[in-house]
Amino acid sequence: MEAVAVVGASLAGLHAARALRIEGFAGRIVVVDADRHDPYDRPPLSKQFLAGTWDRDRLTLAPVREELDLDWRLGRRATALDAGRRSVTLDDGEVLAVDGVVVATGTAARRLPGTDGIAGVHVVRTLDDAVALRADLDAGARRVVVVGAGFIGAEVAATCRGLGVDVTMVEALATPFERVLGPAVGSVLADVHRDHGVDLRAGVGVAGIDGAGRVEQVRLSDGAVVEADVVVVGIGVVPATDWLEGSGLTVDDGIVVDETLLAAPGVVAAGDIARWPSARYGEALRVEHWDMAIAMGEAAARRLLVPSHGSPAVFDHLPWFWSDQYDRKIQLAGRAGADHAVEVVVGSVEERRFVALYGRDGRVDGVLGMNRPRHVMQLRALADERVAWDEGLARARALG
Amino acid sequence: MRVVVDFDLCESNAVCMGIVPEVFEVRDDDFLYVLQEEPAEELRPKIEEAVRRCPKQAISIEG
């Protein structure tokens, strides 16, 4: 193999490029990304960068500053992939003829239908998104409506409250985070936001956004009207697979890869965009976590180097994520959901410093902590090994 | 080899502790403690992994 194209220079793509070098690949690595900025870390966009406590330089991803001998194509969009010929076409007509391709174009933020062209309506996915939102806040926005109480929305709400801005958070589910963390933990998080002065409207949708050129109010499905200077939409993401039409890859809510992250001979995918069959859970997973993007990028790079660097390895990294909201840190190792059993094993919900185990089918599926990083790390093995539920409870309580 | 943590950046996610518990420990006060500032050379690959996986890029290796 002499040349590799890495399409998508965010976390998964950059760590794939770095791993190629660490594994000794000395050929050409072309790194493409539609975003014109030096690749940056996304988690601070809704927190430290939005709050103004971190500047842009601090967001630059570490591999950018390393001597990885990368051939950059920033601000250039890949428009087509021919998996059979292993060629990538860019928006300016350049064709990259390579031996290996890492597809890591990630996801794009979903937008509210009918809001194009209304100033003051934001998503937070890219650096430019965060700069634009920050500019509206700096210009004196006093009333923010957050649509969608997912992790991005909740973090933006927390940051805005920290800036002294009024926040109304609108969530379609009866309890925020109900689908991903279950109603019990979801209601704890809802209370954290209420206690910080967020006007939480749960169980309602958005009927429309009104304003003459610029947002003035948000109409809710229950008939309520909320005045707004700024709207932040956090209703999830969609895999950025448009450019892969006709590529020969299988696209089904992401790129379908095998258990070694191979999408086609010489083509691997990593990060938010890749859907792989998880042996751990017996189903195909597409995970949008920071830590997973790094693990997948590294594994995909090694897969690309087979057979010159070993044999294919099965990818089954344990999901893990964190979210910081106000002074609370939520971490989850494994997985959780509305249909899981939930048991607090360390600390208490009342002090908002606890560990909860999530169980399904008689086994531990997830370890969730609120302000308990040590315990989450010490107990993550319960989710990793999916130990029997009773044994997991006993081991966790012994630690607490 | 010397392990250096930028405690202004560290926010105690404890990822490093999950990878190299011999070197990194987050205690009940939620602060990270470096148990060995000059760990044995054979720990280098795991420490390098901890450097890569730190959500705040707060760890570095000198030497």
Side-chain angles (χ1 to χ4, degrees):
Chain A
M1 189 150 66
E2 290 173 8
V4 172
V6 175
V7 188
S10 199
L11 212 50
L14 269 196
H15 278 271
R18 167 145 80 176
L20 287 170
R21 292 296 186 224
I22 288 173
E23 296 294 327
F25 176 69
R28 182 174 174 229
I29 302 177
V30 188
V31 180
V32 181
D33 202 295
D35 200 317
R36 69 186 195 284
H37 299 291
D38 273 350
Y40 50 87
D41 202 26
R42 294 184 199 275
L45 296 180
S46 55
K47 301 185 281 283
Q48 296 93 336
F49 181 75
L50 187 60
T53 54
W54 284 20
D55 63 16
R56 191 265 170 266
D57 280 354
R58 207 151 162 181
L59 305 185
T60 299
L61 289 170
V64 175
R65 303 191 199 279
E66 296 171 10
E67 291 178 6
L68 297 174
D69 188 21
L70 305 178
D71 190 355
W72 294 99
R73 297 286 188 284
L74 295 180
R76 306 268 292 279
R77 185 178 297 277
T79 55
L81 166 71
D82 184 331
R85 295 178 58 190
R86 293 176 204 171
S87 69
V88 177
T89 305
L90 307 189
D91 55 2
D92 61 355
E94 184 182 6
V95 177
L96 305 171
V98 293
D99 311 298
V101 180
V102 179
V103 179
T105 41
T107 53
R110 287 180 61 202
R111 290 166 192 273
L112 271 183
T115 58
D116 286 354
I118 303 180
V121 180
H122 298 268
V123 294
V124 182
R125 178 70 189 169
T126 67
L127 178 60
D128 288 341
D129 292 339
V131 167
L133 173 55
R134 175 77 214 179
D136 267 2
L137 295 173
D138 283 345
R142 303 308 306 159
R143 301 162 302 179
V144 172
V145 174
V146 174
V147 179
F151 288 104
I152 292 290
E155 289 185 354
V156 168
T159 300
C160 287
R161 289 302 299 136
L163 294 169
V165 177
D166 290 345
V167 175
T168 303
M169 188 154 61
V170 182
E171 168 57 46
L173 296 171
T175 307
F177 302 102
E178 185 179 334
R179 200 174 293 148
V180 287
L181 300 178
V185 171
S187 62
V188 176
L189 275 167
D191 286 343
V192 167
H193 283 275
R194 287 193 191 98
D195 288 355
H196 282 87
V198 171
D199 180 0
L200 178 63
R201 310 285 183 95
V204 295
V206 170
I209 292 180
D210 304 326
R214 183 171 183 93
V215 60
E216 291 169 12
Q217 62 179 33
V218 179
R219 278 178 289 113
L220 305 184
S221 59
D222 62 0
V225 173
V226 183
E227 295 191 344
D229 305 315
V230 161
V231 173
V232 181
V233 179
I235 54 172
V237 294
V238 287
T241 50
D242 291 0
W243 68 286
L244 295 168
E245 200 174 312
S247 64
L249 302 186
T250 305
V251 175
D252 178 14
D253 183 29
I255 299 167
V256 176
V257 296
D258 72 10
E259 70 280 6
T260 71
L261 306 183
L262 196 69
V267 181
V268 291
D272 294 8
I273 200 170
R275 177 177 294 283
W276 88 101
S278 165
R280 179 190 300 280
Y281 297 119
E283 60 187 78
L285 294 187
R286 192 175 66 73
V287 173
E288 298 161 0
H289 303 163
W290 186 96
D291 181 68
M292 187 63 81
I294 295 178
M296 288 186 98
E298 293 177 350
R302 289 192 292 268
R303 179 64 185 89
L304 208 52
L305 294 174
V306 171
S308 60
H309 290 63
S311 54
V314 171
F315 181 80
D316 214 7
H317 187 68
L318 181 73
W320 175 85
F321 75 83
W322 85 97
S323 174
D324 295 320
Q325 299 166 34
Y326 311 101
D327 57 353
R328 298 296 99 179
K329 177 185 290 297
I330 298 99
Q331 298 176 311
L332 176 69
R335 66 176 181 176
D339 53 349
H340 282 68
V342 184
E343 194 83 29
V344 173
V345 286
V346 176
S348 70
V349 165
E350 289 70 29
E351 60 179 329
R352 291 177 184 168
R353 188 161 182 263
F354 63 93
V355 177
L357 297 191
Y358 285 76
R360 201 160 85 171
D361 304 328
R363 305 207 158 265
V364 176
D365 238 11
V367 178
L368 176 131
M370 180 177 280
N371 288 34
R372 290 280 184 183
R374 174 172 82 87
H375 289 88
V376 171
M377 258 329 133
Q378 287 174 326
L379 293 172
R380 67 194 288 280
L382 302 180
D384 199 18
E385 297 158 18
R386 301 189 86 203
V387 303
W389 180 242
D390 289 342
E391 183 197 339
L393 292 178
R395 279 167 61 179
R397 285 182 174 132
L399 189 73
Chain B
M1 170 174 54
R2 186 174 180 81
V3 175
V4 178
V5 173
D6 184 338
F7 285 97
D8 288 336
L9 289 177
C10 173
E11 53 178 44
S12 296
N13 276 296
V15 174
C16 51
M17 176 180 168
I19 297 167
V20 211
E22 305 94 316
V23 174
F24 303 103
E25 182 178 315
V26 173
R27 295 189 186 151
D28 259 351
D29 59 8
D30 286 351
F31 286 108
L32 171 67
Y33 294 82
V34 179
L35 303 179
Q36 308 178 51
E37 290 190 341
E38 296 184 9
E41 193 59 29
E42 61 258 31
L43 288 172
R44 184 181 288 270
K46 288 172 89 177
I47 295 169
E48 285 176 344
E49 186 184 348
V51 169
R52 292 200 298 277
R53 300 284 279 280
C54 170
K56 285 285 145 303
Q57 306 292 301
I59 309 168
S60 55
I61 299 172
E62 291 177 357

